[in-house]
Amino acid sequence: MKLSKDDGNMTKVIGLTGGIASGKSTVSNMLRDRNIPIIDADLISRQIVEPGSPTLHEISKAFGCDVLKEDGTLDRKKLGNIVFSDKCKLEKLNEITHKRIGEEFVKRIEELKKDNKLIIVDAPLLIEAKMMDLVDEIWLVVVDEQVQIDRLMKRNNLSKEDAIKRIKSQMSLEEKKKYAHIIIDNNKNIHHLKEQVEYILKNVIGGLN
């Protein structure tokens, strides 16, 4: 997955990432409110598994027809229970989906580069999927682990054990920090988060003018 290079193109591509329940989507929405184009990995991941798609066929073949609902759509909760309890199965799912998501990233980045100076690639597994070469910078949203656990339990109505299991299935935020150019702290309130985003945007946009 490689992007074409154009020395005359001043577009900056930012990879926005973070752990589950870290607040990455909140930051993404703040950027969207500023009319910055967002390429959303979660949205793409839903589009590529629509009924009749090659990806959904491959998933049902790998994990059984039980991961499909009666209407032929993917039962995400059931699939999640399977893969978040077994590292090998999670790796298998990622093997099926990451290549296709990456191909969509390349396609959409190239399209948006024509008319935009700043593009955000919102991807929770950007680093794990080794897609760092698709972006110019990585912005990482971080929270303390206990905050992450509490938020995930509340958001997804999970037990503490299940919340921890899902968090541990991903690369730790400490490990992700090694790849980040900018770290956004989401341990406090929405006002503090917004202040950081505004400060970062002024610096990025200022560098592009």
Side-chain angles (χ1 to χ4, degrees):
M1 297 177 293
K2 289 187 178 180
L3 294 168
S4 61
K5 299 295 181 182
D6 181 355
D7 293 337
N9 195 318
M10 296 299 291
T11 302
K12 195 163 200 173
V13 183
I14 304 298
L16 177 65
T17 191
I20 189 170
S22 65
K24 175 191 60 61
S25 295
T26 302
V27 173
S28 183
N29 287 332
M30 289 177 181
L31 296 168
R32 186 177 282 107
D33 288 344
R34 293 288 300 268
N35 295 318
I36 298 169
I38 309 288
I39 302 172
D40 189 335
D42 287 339
L43 181 60
I44 292 173
S45 70
R46 291 178 184 276
Q47 291 171 341
I48 64 172
V49 294
E50 289 176 349
S53 67
T55 309
L56 185 59
H57 174 73
E58 201 170 342
I59 289 172
S60 63
K61 187 176 179 182
F63 299 100
C65 292
D66 286 346
V67 299
L68 300 180
K69 296 180 180 179
E70 289 184 5
D71 61 0
T73 59
L74 180 64
D75 190 327
R76 291 179 171 274
K77 186 174 182 180
K78 190 170 287 186
L79 180 61
N81 289 337
I82 293 171
V83 299
F84 289 123
S85 301
D86 188 319
K87 187 178 179 181
C88 291
K89 289 179 179 177
L90 179 59
E91 288 176 353
K92 178 62 179 176
L93 177 63
N94 289 340
E95 182 185 316
I96 294 170
T97 59
H98 284 176
K99 180 182 177 182
R100 292 182 173 95
I101 292 171
E103 289 170 349
E104 277 298 313
F105 279 165
V106 171
K107 178 182 173 184
R108 297 187 190 194
I109 289 171
E110 292 289 9
E111 289 173 352
L112 288 169
K113 270 188 171 184
K114 299 170 187 173
D115 301 304
N116 297 279
K117 287 188 175 183
L118 186 64
I119 300 167
I120 303 295
V121 175
D122 177 346
L125 300 180
L126 181 78
I127 297 168
E128 292 94 324
K130 296 180 172 57
M131 296 181 189
M132 294 91 78
D133 60 330
L134 299 183
V135 301
D136 300 310
E137 286 184 12
I138 294 175
W139 296 359
L140 175 67
V141 185
V142 301
V143 290
D144 294 338
E145 187 173 276
Q146 189 56 55
V147 175
Q148 193 177 12
I149 291 168
D150 292 343
R151 287 178 181 170
L152 185 56
M153 288 173 64
K154 185 177 180 180
R155 188 188 77 183
N156 289 32
N157 194 27
L158 297 174
S159 66
K160 185 173 182 178
E161 181 183 0
D162 284 340
I164 292 172
K165 191 183 294 181
R166 294 203 175 198
I167 290 168
K168 296 298 184 186
S169 73
Q170 295 184 348
M171 181 186 291
S172 72
L173 289 172
E174 283 303 312
E175 183 66 20
K176 289 185 178 186
K177 284 180 182 178
K178 298 176 184 177
Y179 301 90
H181 298 84
I182 291 177
I183 293 175
I184 302 171
D185 175 19
N186 190 26
N187 280 301
K188 297 181 182 179
N189 53 43
I190 194 77
H191 178 69
H192 180 250
L193 185 63
K194 189 172 183 177
E195 280 186 338
Q196 292 175 83
V197 172
E198 290 296 328
Y199 176 81
I200 294 165
L201 276 181
K202 284 178 184 177
N203 282 273
V204 171
I205 294 173
L208 292 174
N209 290 337

